[in-house]
Amino acid sequence: VLPFLNESENTRAGDETRVAFTSELQKLGRFEVVAAPPDDTAALAATVHRGGRFDEAVMLKLARLTRADVIVHGTTVTTNATLTLT
């Protein structure tokens, strides 16, 4: 689970959403959830998410390095007091 890009007014929304999402995946018990290292958070969020699209080459490289079948990355946006995760 990569850092979530935060485009909301709440400065902690991206981190809080990622933590909640990771926790829910772990509760299901069918996934091995590997979080990105905390010191790489800003760099990963900026590198992976560009202009509303994911950089496929970066995602493939991360998948190979972590031996991941799935990489999760999201964006949090607040509109009219509603938090949206994409």
Side-chain angles (χ1 to χ4, degrees):
V1 177
L2 295 179
F4 283 32
L5 183 64
N6 184 15
E7 293 183 349
S8 76
E9 297 169 2
N10 177 349
T11 58
R12 297 181 44 86
D15 290 335
E16 291 170 353
T17 305
R18 181 190 51 78
V19 168
F21 194 83
T22 300
S23 175
E24 290 301 316
L25 285 175
Q26 288 174 330
K27 284 180 189 177
L28 292 173
R30 296 182 295 201
F31 302 95
E32 178 183 358
V33 180
V34 180
D39 57 344
D40 292 340
T41 299
L44 283 172
T47 301
V48 172
H49 192 89
R50 292 185 184 162
R53 298 187 57 115
F54 295 104
D55 186 323
E56 187 176 347
V58 171
M59 296 297 265
L60 289 171
K61 181 178 178 181
L62 286 171
R64 280 191 290 273
L65 289 172
T66 60
R67 296 183 182 168
D69 295 317
V70 175
I71 294 180
V72 177
H73 182 279
T75 302
T76 56
V77 180
T78 305
T79 308
N80 296 328
T82 301
L83 180 65
T84 304
L85 172 65
T86 57

